[in-house]
Amino acid sequence: EAGVVQSPRYKIIEKKQPVAFWCNPISGHNTLYWYLQNLGQGPELLIRYENEEAVDDSQLPKDRFSAERLKGVDSTLKIQPAELGDSAVYLCASSLDASGKNNEQFFGPGTRLTVL
Amino acid sequence: GDSVTQMEGPVTLSEEAFLTINCTYTATGYPSLFWYVQYPGEGLQLLLKATKADDKGSNKGFEATYRKETTSFHLEKGSVQVSDSAVYFCALMDSSYKLIFGSGTRLLVRP
């Protein structure tokens, strides 16, 4: 079974440019997460989806970040415009559900963003 | 708010040495606790978990026991291998099902 797929794996852009990341979760997983991982730190949740609904986006900087999960499967995370401080790894994860016994989160390899 | 603190790395050991990576947490209630591992160039993988006090999670020779009295979840392995070299993250799941991670501990095992 395929794991969580993310693309691109690496992205280099200049500041003020837009950028988008794509995530395909494990088939059948209802819950999808986007995390931000700064160098030398643990991941921090940006947004959580239950199917197509964003149920926790309290940590998403809404002035420049946006996300969508159309049809409750694939998801995209966008930054517009990017700033130097956005350089980090963006991780996508999925789980069958958020609660109970099916809440194990499976992580993708991440997209490493460098903003110049 | 809830938080996780783990020992800073890097931790450098010789093959077959005993490993301990300390992890303590601050949380309301009794959260589920996790250890994730991140090998170079790969995504995070769940290593083990414990969902209630005194539970012991174990996998691939690694163990961690949920200690409510000391709010700790230390990771141990009796004999490390070169292939165990990775970054290890301790995490808790808060009441809103959000994973809160520590800052990670890099382990380097030398032959």
Side-chain angles (χ1 to χ4, degrees):
Chain A
E1 179 180 320
V4 176
V5 179
Q6 291 187 247
S7 69
R9 291 293 309 275
Y10 304 92
K11 188 73 176 179
I12 301 173
I13 62 171
E14 295 188 348
K15 63 180 180 182
K16 300 185 181 180
Q17 294 301 305
V19 65
F21 314 123
W22 176 79
C23 173
N24 179 242
I26 293 174
S27 178
H29 281 195
N30 297 318
T31 308
L32 184 146
Y33 313 77
W34 282 103
Y35 288 87
L36 165 68
Q37 186 176 17
N38 286 304
L39 185 64
Q41 300 296 317
E44 298 175 19
L45 182 70
L46 289 172
I47 189 168
R48 171 167 69 94
Y49 281 93
E50 296 286 346
N51 298 303
E52 64 272 13
E53 181 182 0
V55 295
D56 183 356
D57 62 356
S58 57
Q59 303 302 311
L60 189 72
K62 298 180 182 63
D63 57 336
R64 297 184 300 107
F65 286 66
S66 64
E68 62 182 11
R69 191 184 183 197
L70 300 177
K71 300 181 181 179
V73 182
D74 294 1
S75 177
T76 56
L77 177 69
K78 298 178 181 178
I79 308 175
Q80 183 171 9
E83 297 179 353
L84 294 177
D86 296 331
S87 295
V89 176
Y90 292 83
L91 297 169
C92 180
S94 69
S95 63
L96 279 169
D97 293 293
S99 61
K101 295 182 179 179
N102 297 319
N103 64 358
E104 178 181 343
Q105 296 184 26
F106 295 83
F107 284 80
T111 296
R112 181 177 297 276
L113 173 67
T114 301
V115 182
L116 302 176
Chain B
D2 297 355
S3 64
V4 174
T5 301
Q6 57 183 110
M7 63 189 291
E8 292 188 13
V11 174
T12 303
L13 296 173
S14 297
E15 203 165 23
E16 299 184 0
F18 183 85
L19 169 71
T20 299
I21 299 178
N22 291 335
C23 171
T24 57
Y25 66 91
T26 302
T28 54
Y30 304 106
S32 294
L33 301 174
F34 304 81
W35 276 101
Y36 279 82
V37 58
Q38 188 171 35
Y39 298 103
E42 298 184 15
L44 280 82
Q45 302 174 25
L46 179 64
L47 182 59
L48 53 85
K49 69 177 183 181
T51 58
K52 61 183 186 296
D54 300 325
D55 266 3
K56 176 185 284 187
S58 61
N59 186 26
K60 299 181 181 179
F62 291 89
E63 293 183 340
T65 301
Y66 192 142
R67 301 288 189 197
K68 182 179 65 175
E69 61 277 10
T70 55
T71 61
S72 65
F73 193 54
H74 304 321
L75 182 68
E76 297 181 336
K77 187 176 185 182
S79 176
V80 294
Q81 306 300 313
V82 172
S83 57
D84 293 327
S85 297
V87 181
Y88 293 81
F89 293 92
C90 185
L92 65 81
M93 183 169 285
D94 72 8
S95 56
S96 62
Y97 310 114
K98 179 170 67 180
L99 278 175
I100 296 174
F101 288 87
S103 57
T105 302
R106 182 175 299 278
L107 170 65
L108 176 61
V109 181
R110 295 178 170 168

